[in-house]
Amino acid sequence: MAGVPYMRPPEPEKGFDVGDVVEVYCDHEKNGQRVRGWVKGIVVQVDSKMVAVQFRTNVYLTDGWMVPDHILWFPVNSPHIRVPQKRSSSRVEPVGSN
């Protein structure tokens, strides 16, 4: 089988699988206070374009509504979802303190 010519090899597909622990940048509750920052969750569903992440804490939509099932959806290439980082790099800021 003839190979397809290319300038450089394609990157292996970086994606998430069900059961992966991830961090998501969103509004959530921490110590009884609503904050915006990185919070850990578990990937519960993945398709070709979206990733669903479920949390143990209350999470909120950008317009302020609490999500009753604790599940947020993100595009697979969103900058707001990542593999867990070291604790020192996470920054949490209270919501509404601009």
Side-chain angles (χ1 to χ4, degrees):
M1 182 168 148
V4 177
Y6 50 82
M7 299 283 292
R8 62 184 171 159
E11 288 186 35
E13 195 166 316
K14 298 174 189 171
F16 299 102
D17 292 318
V18 172
D20 286 351
V21 175
V22 295
E23 288 182 336
V24 168
Y25 190 78
C26 66
D27 290 359
H28 62 280
E29 285 185 6
K30 183 173 185 176
N31 300 327
Q33 192 174 30
R34 185 171 163 179
V35 295
R36 177 174 295 141
W38 293 97
V39 62
K40 284 188 181 180
I42 297 176
V43 175
V44 292
Q45 190 171 340
V46 179
D47 65 24
S48 62
K49 295 181 182 181
M50 302 292 286
V51 177
V53 181
Q54 188 170 30
F55 306 90
R56 291 183 180 227
T57 186
N58 289 332
V59 290
Y60 298 86
L61 300 175
T62 54
D63 61 0
W65 289 93
M66 186 183 74
V67 180
D69 61 2
H70 297 207
I71 296 175
L72 293 176
W73 285 86
F74 295 89
V76 293
N77 59 355
S78 173
H80 299 291
I81 184 171
R82 68 182 187 191
V83 294
Q85 304 292 308
K86 299 284 184 203
R87 273 288 171 211
S88 62
S89 67
S90 65
R91 182 172 176 240
V92 175
E93 52 192 63
V95 173
S97 64
N98 294 346

